[in-house]
Amino acid sequence: MAVTVETVSALERRINLSIPADQIEKEVASRLQRMSRTVRMQGFRPGKVPLRIVATQYGPQVRSEVIGDAIQKNFSEAVTEQKLRVAGYPHIEPKAQAEGAANDATFEFVATFEVYPEVVIGDLSLLSIERPQTAVSDADVEQTVETLRKQRVRYEPVSRPSAAGDRVTVDFVGKIDGIAFDGGTASDFAFEVGAGQMLPAFDTAAVGMAEGEAKTFDLAFPADYQGKEVAGKTAQFTITMKKIEGGVLPALDAEFAKSLGVADGEIAKMKADIRANLEREVKKRLQARLKGGVMQALYENVRLEAPKALISMDVERLIEQARADLAQRGVKQDVPLPPDMFQEQAKKRVSLGLILNELVKSNGLEARPDQVRAVIDEFAQSYEDPSEVVRWYYSDKQRLSEVEALALEENVVNFVLGKGKVTDLTVSFDELMGRA
């Protein structure tokens, strides 16, 4: 089959498909004949429906199916003959006839589609990559212990004015121009002073109050405040202090250690476990940062044009993922998610997918079974029964393929690091953990 391929743009191609009409009619007749042997219609015994009635009832549907199958077959044969790698799905439509022209002997269609770009990796030794490094110190362990204690704080009534860190219970009424507004009034409302649960002016006003005391103050709502009816306006609040409770941290003792899963209550064992957990988390975050740096370097230095069809498909996937995430958070599904929000992210994902595929194919970087098992074993370390986690991964092909993808990416990262210019960069523990 001789096919002419027209180059529309760098990646877009167009070919003409011509299908003989008699070929279509022959296949339509064959399918209707087969259908007549099994079709059921009221008033006829099975297999005894006249062919003309079957053709009247099902002819248009069968003709459409036959033409569709023929187009797909001809298109597949054409791109195979031309050795074209089609990206996404082709757009196929009837070929426009010149005015006055008629050709009942053939069905003619035009298929427009994109092909995969040629990916030229180039000289990886020119890449500059920063490798972040972080060590877990004794101070980091102690800080984490204090954080864990604060998470287990209990509150007890105190006989003194309120202070930052206290849990207070108040009544309040808010008014704008002397009129109470929706959401501005509450009774027995509890919050932790200075924890960021309230606007700063409210927090400030609550400090230094005694039980039974009332205070009136102005509060300016930010222009971007979520409550549109009060955004940018100034309200007058009156709060009445009803209860003050001071926080009491748990003692750093055996009971505290047991609450963290240390059966014998040894403080040293507890801190060793905390250090081990921190080191695992640090390792994971360092690997993620390093991988992100390698991927960014590849994306910026390997120039290619990503097929629009693949980008559009990935945009749809990202929108679906975003909607699923919003649903899990209880957000209404009618929140608008414009495709433009995801365009650049999809373009990067598609481009990196093409780059990684070329690196893997050209350098034999496929993930080995032992590498996949090593990744799973590392995941399983933080669980009480690691063997159960291993079985969980190996019992599902989808889960296993996700781990294989991670191992493959690790191979690519290590390969690129072995070629590029790598500079070690010290990152503080707080910065790495997002506390800075």
Side-chain angles (χ1 to χ4, degrees):
M1 175 176 58
V3 175
T4 302
V5 180
E6 180 185 349
T7 299
V8 181
S9 64
L11 298 181
E12 195 172 5
R13 303 289 185 269
R14 183 184 295 138
I15 60 176
N16 295 317
L17 302 174
S18 181
I19 306 169
D22 59 351
Q23 176 183 320
I24 297 296
E25 297 306 323
K26 183 178 178 181
E27 180 61 22
V28 169
S30 175
R31 292 193 187 186
L32 288 172
Q33 184 68 46
R34 291 197 301 272
M35 184 179 288
S36 69
R37 297 172 191 152
T38 57
V39 73
R40 293 177 179 271
M41 281 191 185
Q42 191 173 359
F44 297 95
R45 286 179 297 163
K48 298 299 182 179
V49 183
L51 184 60
R52 61 182 176 79
I53 296 180
V54 175
T56 300
Q57 181 76 17
Y58 297 103
Q61 176 187 336
V62 170
R63 182 180 301 277
S64 177
E65 291 173 356
V66 169
I67 291 174
D69 292 346
I71 290 172
Q72 184 58 49
K73 180 175 181 291
N74 277 255
F75 178 76
S76 297
E77 291 175 351
V79 296
T80 299
E81 176 186 301
Q82 296 295 317
K83 297 181 174 59
L84 298 173
R85 294 177 62 224
V86 180
Y89 299 103
H91 176 67
I92 300 175
E93 57 185 354
K95 186 176 181 180
Q97 297 274 359
E99 189 174 347
N103 185 3
D104 295 332
T106 60
F107 291 94
E108 295 188 340
F109 298 87
V110 176
T112 306
F113 56 96
E114 287 180 289
V115 295
Y116 280 91
E118 181 184 4
V119 181
V120 180
I121 299 298
D123 188 356
L124 294 177
S125 68
L126 300 178
L127 298 185
S128 295
I129 302 160
E130 290 183 337
R131 177 165 49 203
Q133 309 237 331
T134 301
V136 177
S137 68
D138 291 343
D140 299 326
V141 175
E142 295 300 330
Q143 182 183 10
T144 303
V145 169
E146 288 307 302
T147 299
L148 292 169
R149 291 178 69 201
K150 289 175 183 176
Q151 290 172 355
R152 290 158 176 77
V153 65
R154 73 178 190 277
Y155 290 94
E156 296 180 349
V158 294
S159 299
R160 56 167 174 74
S162 58
D166 289 344
R167 183 172 67 186
V168 297
T169 303
V170 301
D171 294 343
F172 63 80
V173 177
K175 297 181 180 180
I176 296 178
D177 297 330
I179 301 173
F181 56 90
D182 288 343
T185 301
S187 297
D188 294 325
F189 183 84
F191 67 97
E192 182 183 339
V193 179
Q197 298 167 309
M198 311 297 286
L199 289 172
F202 205 106
D203 259 338
T204 300
V207 173
M209 293 183 66
E211 283 189 12
E213 182 181 353
K215 180 186 290 187
T216 300
F217 61 96
D218 288 343
L219 186 150
F221 287 99
D224 59 352
Y225 190 68
Q226 58 186 3
K228 303 298 183 186
E229 68 281 358
V230 299
K233 298 179 180 179
T234 298
Q236 290 74 47
F237 274 89
T238 298
I239 61 172
T240 302
M241 184 65 63
K242 300 184 74 173
K243 184 163 60 173
I244 304 169
E245 298 171 293
V248 179
L249 294 176
L252 188 56
D253 56 14
E255 288 305 311
F256 179 72
K258 289 177 181 178
S259 74
L260 296 178
V262 180
D264 58 13
E266 284 190 27
I267 301 299
K269 175 68 165 55
M270 177 196 74
K271 291 185 177 181
D273 287 350
I274 290 173
R275 178 181 287 276
N277 288 333
L278 290 178
E279 287 173 346
R280 271 195 295 272
E281 182 64 20
V282 163
K283 180 180 178 183
K284 184 173 74 173
R285 295 193 180 210
L286 289 175
Q287 287 174 335
R289 274 207 184 191
L290 181 58
K291 182 170 79 171
V294 169
M295 297 303 165
Q296 187 64 29
L298 288 171
Y299 180 62
E300 292 175 353
N301 289 276
V302 180
R303 296 297 177 185
L304 59 83
E305 182 175 343
K308 295 183 180 65
L310 298 185
I311 294 174
S312 295
M313 291 165 63
D314 202 56
V315 165
E316 290 301 316
R317 279 192 289 269
L318 290 171
I319 290 175
E320 287 303 312
Q321 289 173 8
R323 290 202 180 282
D325 183 56
L326 289 172
Q328 283 186 337
R329 301 181 186 204
V331 179
K332 293 180 180 179
Q333 290 296 295
D334 57 359
V335 174
L337 295 174
D340 288 351
M341 286 175 56
F342 304 93
Q343 192 73 17
E344 281 304 312
Q345 183 184 359
K347 179 183 176 183
K348 184 175 182 178
R349 280 162 50 105
V350 169
S351 298
L352 281 172
L354 296 172
I355 294 168
L356 265 59
N357 183 66
E358 179 60 30
L359 279 168
V360 170
K361 183 178 66 175
S362 302
N363 300 283
L365 302 178
E366 294 83 1
R368 301 189 311 273
D370 62 305
Q371 291 177 311
V372 174
R373 179 55 189 263
V375 173
I376 293 175
D377 285 343
E378 187 169 359
F379 286 164
Q381 281 180 20
S382 58
Y383 291 86
E384 187 174 343
D385 186 355
S387 61
E388 184 60 35
V389 176
V390 172
R391 282 193 294 272
W392 184 78
Y393 274 106
Y394 279 100
S395 66
D396 185 275
K397 288 185 178 179
Q398 178 62 32
R399 289 194 287 261
L400 193 58
S401 68
E402 291 171 359
V403 179
E404 289 170 347
L406 291 174
L408 184 147
E409 288 182 352
E410 187 176 340
N411 285 348
V412 171
V413 169
N414 290 334
F415 179 79
V416 174
L417 290 175
K419 301 286 185 180
K421 300 173 183 175
V422 182
T423 304
D424 289 336
L425 176 68
T426 300
V427 177
S428 72
F429 178 83
D430 284 346
E431 180 187 346
L432 184 68
M433 304 301 282
R435 298 175 181 172

